[in-house]
Amino acid sequence: MRFDIITVLPQLLESPFAHSILQRAQKKDLTAIHVHNLREYTSNKQKSVDDYPYGGGSGMVMQIEPFANCIDQLKAERDYDEIIYMTPDGQTLNQEIANGLIQHKNIMILCGHYKGIDQRIRDIYVTKEISIGDYVLSGGELPAAILVDAIVRLIPGVLSDETSALSDSFQDGLLDAPIYSRPVEWKGHKVPDILLSGHEAKIAEWRHEQQLQRTKERRPDLLND
Ligand code: SAH
């Protein structure tokens, strides 16, 4: 699965993909993540990618030309299943959206800055708009990194124990159960006895009950769905 991310700040995307699970996934060729610097696709000498908004108002707008040049070049090289714009007014990212996107081969992601990107880029090229939540960040890079992480960890073979992604929160509509590791007792706080019993079926039942209880307390909306 291949990602092409278009950004005016490629440096912001260096670290998120250079460590741990995302780095291993690339080394194992389970995914390829390419970051493109938007400034390399401008025709003006100053390499600027933004301009004042028509109609006035505060903030700058990212111009159509650099995005169009970069997108057209990438599209000439391969077909894209989705061209996604990260934006606060998009569909809010959740596990279901991430699960749906792992079916794809090539995904392009556009990162905005300033006031956002010229509406015509969205009208002409973008096939999906995704928000990471109801708050506004300064750029689309962190949202893009979050989206890529959410998708890549689902690719079979990326996590060492494949079932671990399936047992995470939201996959079955429930939050995850509490987890414990050594030592058995820490300053009077003990691991629940059931987890030390070695009784697999009873442990599974306990975990399911904990998931239900936690979901009921923290996210009753998930149970209603
Ligand atoms: N004027 C816009 C906000 C622009 S913020 C508005 O009010 O909707 C600048 C850029 O940061 C956006 O173009 C987008 O790419 C990114 N961004 C900010 N918040 C985001 C969020 N919650 N989800 C996804 N992308 C976001």
Side-chain angles (χ1 to χ4, degrees):
M1 184 170 195
R2 177 185 168 117
F3 295 90
D4 288 278
I5 308 176
I6 306 178
T7 167
V8 77
L9 276 174
Q11 309 91 298
L12 272 181
L13 287 168
E14 274 164 22
S15 179
F17 304 136
H19 308 278
S20 182
I21 291 169
L22 277 111
Q23 182 200 40
R24 278 205 305 276
Q26 293 170 88
K27 281 198 173 145
K28 286 203 232 161
D29 274 337
L30 295 168
T31 187
I33 304 168
H34 298 265
V35 178
H36 306 272
N37 187 346
L38 190 65
R39 287 195 202 282
E40 287 168 15
Y41 297 84
T42 56
S43 53
N44 65 62
K45 282 204 191 83
Q46 299 75 33
K47 300 263 177 226
S48 75
V49 293
D50 58 307
D51 207 339
Y52 293 99
Y54 277 124
S58 63
M60 301 299 274
V61 176
M62 296 188 83
Q63 291 171 280
I64 191 163
E65 196 218 4
F67 270 112
N69 289 344
C70 184
I71 297 170
D72 285 342
Q73 186 172 320
L74 289 170
K75 280 177 74 173
E77 289 162 12
R78 70 194 63 75
D79 289 332
Y80 285 88
D81 301 290
E82 297 280 11
I83 299 183
I84 301 173
Y85 174 45
M86 304 309 301
T87 177
D89 59 7
Q91 202 183 356
T92 309
L93 180 62
N94 59 24
Q95 195 61 53
E96 199 182 340
I97 296 177
N99 290 349
L101 289 169
I102 74 157
Q103 324 294 344
H104 294 325
K105 212 169 142 224
N106 299 312
I107 292 181
M108 199 190 296
I109 303 175
L110 317 183
C111 306
H113 261 274
Y114 322 115
K115 278 303 268 184
I117 66 177
D118 190 306
Q119 179 60 39
R120 289 166 294 180
I121 307 165
R122 301 168 73 166
D123 296 342
I124 299 168
Y125 293 106
V126 170
T127 59
K128 208 176 192 57
E129 301 194 322
I130 295 180
S131 163
I132 59 157
D134 289 348
Y135 42 85
V136 175
L137 302 168
S138 344
E141 289 75 18
L142 299 178
I146 285 170
L147 177 64
V148 171
D149 187 322
I151 299 169
V152 168
R153 68 197 302 287
L154 299 172
I155 299 173
V158 167
L159 295 185
S160 42
D161 175 1
E162 231 187 80
T163 56
S164 73
L166 294 177
S167 66
D168 281 334
S169 289
F170 306 113
Q171 284 295 5
D172 50 6
L174 296 176
L175 300 180
D176 207 353
I179 51 174
Y180 300 86
S181 185
R182 286 191 291 179
V184 163
E185 188 172 337
W186 175 257
K187 296 182 180 171
H189 297 268
K190 283 190 70 189
V191 171
D193 288 337
I194 180 78
L195 297 178
L196 311 172
S197 70
H199 197 301
E200 267 183 47
K202 283 207 173 123
I203 292 172
E205 195 183 319
W206 178 84
R207 285 192 170 137
H208 188 68
E209 276 164 19
Q210 292 289 318
Q211 284 188 278
L212 278 172
Q213 195 181 320
R214 202 166 253 204
T215 311
K216 215 151 95 190
E217 281 165 14
R218 299 181 181 201
R219 293 292 305 275
D221 57 300
L222 293 177
L223 296 173
N224 298 336
D225 288 349

